[in-house]
Amino acid sequence: MTVAAAAGVSPMTVSKVLRGTGRISLATRQRVMQVADDLGYVPNGLAGALSSQSSQIVGILIPSIGDMVYSGVLAGINAVLVPKGFSSFIGETFFDPENEARLVRTVLSLKPSGLILTGGLERTGATMHVLRQSGVRCVQLWDGDRPDLDATVGLSHRAAGRAAADIFLSRGLRDACYVGAQLDRDLCAARRLEGFRQRLEEAGGRCRVLADDALPRDVVTGEALTAALLAEGPPPEAIHYLNDAMAIGGLRALLAAGVEVPGRTSVIGFNGTSLRHAIQTRLTTLEVPLHEIGARAAQALLQPGEARTDLVDFQIVAGTTVRP
């Protein structure tokens, strides 16, 4: 049913309301907007184009294009899409569900061939409603613990957290700390913490958490939080960082404080982005095949079918920051 029919007004009235023009009563405007929301209606941003069919645009919504993780994923996506004639519309959500909702409507107005959205945030009910009503194929990236949309390509972050804990436990290390940031928004990182802490506690260990949700997940934050941890007392036996960038900052702080790594404190990162930059100290980390995740997500987008979950394996890379 069209918005005009459901609201009991003419198509011209609907057009004026959605464009914010014309002398339309407040009651009518509110009724039309409510009906449009209920129907998941999104204005056509390609009005006047040569074709009313979907464009060759694929919308890709990621937390931040400045994050090395997502630059690797984007490279994988475009390696599949570009040779097939598709163009990417990239939006940054910054883990903000309301920002994601706005971007979803913007991309859908361009009549995309598909959408790739990063999981790990609390997607709003309104966004899910609009996505279902759109009829556009949607693939979720990254979050393999909570499959969603038409297909999901990612990893189990709980399993990654447990794997990091097992590395420490295999070396007899049970006094550990998790250092992170923005755990209130990045639900995948929160699940890694959950898996890490759960596995340690199962083995009789303990896990302290040091996180600041107001700080970025970068080298500077890793260094600052680790310095704060060391100011509280003796360093823990082991530290697991939210990502490799924070781990590099943490290593700086440990070195500055004279804490021997790995003799006194062992360190593990996550995602593997530090590996290409290692010179002498090689961070022990859980490497994620970022390019592969992006490529498989793009392939899932181009192969409509039943909803499915494609779990990608991570790899434990043994560096020099964990006790032998």
Side-chain angles (χ1 to χ4, degrees):
M1 179 179 289
T2 66
V3 174
V9 298
S10 69
M12 181 60 73
T13 297
V14 172
S15 178
K16 289 179 178 179
V17 169
L18 295 178
R19 286 187 288 116
T21 62
R23 301 176 66 179
I24 311 295
S25 70
L26 178 61
T28 299
R29 286 186 182 279
Q30 290 176 337
R31 185 167 76 255
V32 170
M33 293 303 295
Q34 184 60 57
V35 169
D37 282 343
D38 291 344
L39 293 178
Y41 175 78
V42 177
N44 181 7
L46 294 178
L50 294 176
S51 173
S52 62
Q53 302 303 310
S54 62
S55 68
Q56 288 295 95
I57 292 171
V58 171
I60 306 171
L61 304 186
I62 58 175
S64 172
I65 199 170
D67 190 321
M68 290 178 64
V69 164
Y70 297 106
S71 63
V73 171
L74 285 173
I77 292 173
N78 284 324
V80 173
L81 295 182
V82 171
K84 296 184 180 299
F86 292 97
S87 298
S88 300
F89 178 101
I90 301 170
E92 296 176 288
T93 66
F94 304 110
F95 293 111
D96 182 345
E98 295 301 327
N99 193 38
E100 183 194 55
R102 179 185 63 80
L103 287 167
V104 163
R105 286 184 171 273
T106 298
V107 177
L108 289 178
S109 76
L110 302 177
K111 298 177 70 92
S113 294
L115 263 172
I116 298 176
L117 301 88
T118 306
L121 79 170
E122 289 293 353
R123 189 161 291 130
T124 69
T127 298
M128 289 302 302
H129 179 67
V130 169
L131 291 173
R132 292 191 194 101
Q133 293 294 319
S134 72
V136 173
R137 183 163 175 80
C138 301
V139 174
Q140 174 176 272
L141 275 174
W142 200 240
D143 188 355
D145 290 304
R146 191 173 66 173
D148 201 0
L149 307 178
D150 296 314
T152 294
V153 179
L155 65 144
S156 170
H157 292 268
R158 286 195 183 91
R162 293 180 68 87
D166 278 331
I167 295 172
F168 288 145
L169 292 170
S170 69
R171 272 69 166 183
L173 306 173
R174 285 173 168 72
D175 174 26
C177 181
Y178 185 94
V179 176
Q182 300 180 359
L183 298 178
D184 61 332
R185 286 176 280 171
D186 183 354
L187 303 185
C188 288
R191 291 191 192 106
R192 289 200 299 278
L193 166 58
E194 180 184 336
F196 181 69
R197 177 162 48 193
Q198 183 183 59
R199 180 69 189 96
L200 280 169
E201 292 175 350
E202 287 173 357
R206 71 164 184 157
C207 175
R208 288 177 280 172
V209 178
L210 185 61
D212 190 325
D213 293 332
L215 296 177
R217 299 122 44 92
D218 58 16
V219 172
V220 174
T221 296
E223 185 173 10
L225 291 180
T226 304
L229 174 67
L230 297 176
E232 294 176 356
E237 293 178 326
I239 305 176
H240 181 27
Y241 288 88
L242 179 144
N243 60 23
D244 278 13
M246 293 188 71
I248 290 170
L251 288 171
R252 283 185 188 172
L254 291 166
L255 178 64
V259 177
E260 185 183 352
V261 177
R264 176 63 183 85
T265 298
S266 293
V267 170
I268 293 177
F270 173 80
N271 68 29
T273 56
S274 70
L275 298 177
R276 71 192 73 171
H277 305 297
I279 297 176
Q280 206 166 27
T281 298
R282 195 161 186 258
L283 179 67
T284 297
T285 187
L286 305 179
E287 184 181 16
V288 181
L290 305 174
H291 191 280
E292 181 182 348
I293 286 179
R296 282 159 70 165
Q299 290 161 357
L301 190 77
L302 300 178
Q303 298 171 355
E306 295 182 2
R308 61 192 180 91
T309 301
D310 183 4
L311 284 180
V312 178
D313 290 332
F314 53 86
Q315 178 183 357
I316 298 171
V317 178
T320 59
T321 60
V322 173
R323 181 187 303 172

